[in-house]
Amino acid sequence: MKNIAVIGSGTMGNGIAHSFAQHGYTVTLIDIAEDALKKALSTIDKNLSRQVEKGSITEDVKKQTLANITTHTDLKTGVSNVDLVVEAATENTELKLKIFQDLDAATAPHTILATNTSSISITKIASVTKRTDKVIGMHFMNPVPIMKLVEVIRGYNTSDDVTQTIMKLSRSLEKIPVEVNDYPGFIANRILMPMINEAIYSLYEGVAGVEEIDSVMKLGMAHPMGPLQLADFIGLDVCLSILNVLYEGFGNPKYAPCPLLVNMVQAGHKGAKSGSGFYTYVQGSKDLKVSKRFEKQEA
């Protein structure tokens, strides 16, 4: 298994492509927008340069990594001769189902189809294909080149052989794969999102401010990042989408998204990617400032 296709060139897609290419795989990065692909290659170049500066890779490794990546805007052409496809498109169920229908028709019978979804049912995604035994979840963590975990999610019909192949493949990327079963939110987000939601509720109900909530979790629980900052980093729209999947999947009110989160997303405050969430984000600045809406009023 040496030829890999990655669908989607956003934050997760370009990180996944970067990781495979750096470890010697031939990668086809696919997106419908040429500009998005150019931006992705620029991001990969910058991230590789940062690794060179830190001494974690050599300049030759950087050059070879970039040489291992080609780009396509046509899905059918891009996946015609690959052993594995990793889909990393927007976290939208209907979009993913359409992509997997197209992948099933365009790829060779032996090709494994993986999704980087953080919450959508692998079994549901597999159901639109004729190879349900070869559909699996590969949930990478952001930033992909740095984070070690890969959540490997088995759909109801995913075969043992395919699961073990993906576990082995993940290790070849110097990742640590963890096998889980296909239930809403899997493990990572089933535990993480209720914590983030409860942190937002605590802010919404006036229990404490943004910095105070994050400081308690960082200093008291040894979390490297507070839950509100982490929510901004993930994307508040993504957090809302995952919470809705959990709420609909289990029918349990404990997963209901906080009204504050719903309002923020509807107002366009989606976290770091939009420049504003619980904190404000200025390009090039490393200073973290609480958004004006959540600033404490001086007495």
Side-chain angles (χ1 to χ4, degrees):
M1 183 172 289
K2 295 299 290 182
N3 298 316
I4 313 295
V6 178
I7 310 295
S9 62
T11 300
M12 296 305 294
N14 74 59
I16 294 167
H18 172 158
S19 294
F20 273 107
Q22 186 178 322
H23 289 84
Y25 292 90
T26 300
V27 178
T28 304
L29 184 58
I30 302 167
D31 200 297
I32 58 173
E34 187 66 45
D35 288 346
L37 290 168
K38 289 178 181 178
K39 182 179 179 182
L41 289 177
S42 175
T43 298
I44 294 170
D45 190 303
K46 289 176 184 176
N47 289 338
L48 286 166
S49 294
R50 194 175 293 116
Q51 289 177 273
V52 172
E53 289 169 10
K54 291 180 178 179
S56 57
I57 64 170
T58 64
E59 186 66 34
D60 285 345
V61 170
K62 174 188 171 180
K63 290 178 181 177
Q64 187 57 56
T65 298
L66 291 171
N68 285 341
I69 302 172
T70 57
T71 61
H72 273 285
T73 54
D74 180 68
L75 182 143
K76 186 174 181 180
T77 304
V79 302
S80 61
N81 189 34
V82 299
D83 304 303
L84 168 70
V85 179
V86 182
E87 172 273 319
T90 304
E91 193 74 351
N92 176 285
T93 302
E94 296 309 314
L95 174 62
K96 289 185 187 294
L97 294 180
K98 178 62 168 65
I99 289 172
F100 272 77
Q101 280 182 318
D102 293 343
L103 288 174
D104 192 41
T107 53
H110 76 277
T111 304
I112 296 172
L113 306 181
T115 173
N116 183 58
T117 182
S118 55
S119 62
I120 299 169
S121 167
I122 308 304
T123 304
K124 184 172 185 175
I125 291 172
S127 70
V128 300
T129 75
K130 295 176 182 177
R131 61 182 87 189
T132 58
D133 60 319
K134 294 184 176 67
V135 178
I136 195 165
M138 285 187 82
H139 180 205
F140 291 84
M141 305 293 131
N142 185 28
V144 179
I146 296 171
M147 299 292 278
K148 291 293 186 182
L149 175 65
V150 178
E151 204 174 17
V152 177
I153 308 107
R154 295 185 65 140
Y156 195 81
N157 288 332
T158 306
S159 73
D160 290 339
D161 285 346
V162 166
T163 302
Q164 290 310 309
T165 295
I166 295 303
M167 296 286 283
K168 182 178 179 181
L169 183 73
S170 300
R171 294 187 188 101
S172 77
L173 303 177
E174 298 182 68
K175 303 295 186 188
I176 300 172
V178 176
E179 181 184 336
V180 304
N181 289 317
D182 184 25
Y183 291 97
F186 316 135
I187 290 296
N189 283 314
R190 183 169 177 175
I191 294 171
L192 174 63
M193 286 304 153
M195 182 189 74
I196 286 176
N197 201 38
E198 196 62 31
I200 299 171
Y201 263 113
S202 297
L203 177 66
Y204 175 62
E205 295 169 356
V207 179
V210 171
E211 290 180 299
E212 288 75 12
I213 291 168
D214 278 355
S215 293
V216 165
M217 297 307 292
K218 286 190 290 184
L219 301 176
M221 314 304 165
H223 291 195
M225 186 183 294
L228 299 178
Q229 185 186 355
L230 179 57
D232 275 356
F233 184 65
I234 293 168
L236 301 188
D237 55 334
V238 175
C239 292
L240 178 59
S241 175
I242 296 168
L243 282 165
N244 281 328
V245 168
L246 288 166
Y247 184 43
E248 292 165 11
F250 290 113
N252 190 323
K254 73 177 181 179
Y255 298 115
C258 178
L260 174 59
L261 174 62
V262 175
N263 280 348
M264 289 177 72
V265 173
Q266 288 178 339
H269 298 279
K270 299 179 181 179
K273 62 186 173 185
S274 70
S276 175
F278 296 105
Y279 297 87
T280 56
Y281 301 87
V282 179
Q283 192 169 7
S285 174
K286 294 183 179 180
D287 294 333
L288 195 63
K289 294 182 179 180
V290 174
S291 292
K292 287 185 178 180
R293 176 177 290 274
F294 303 117
E295 285 180 350
K296 284 188 171 182
Q297 298 298 317
E298 295 295 334

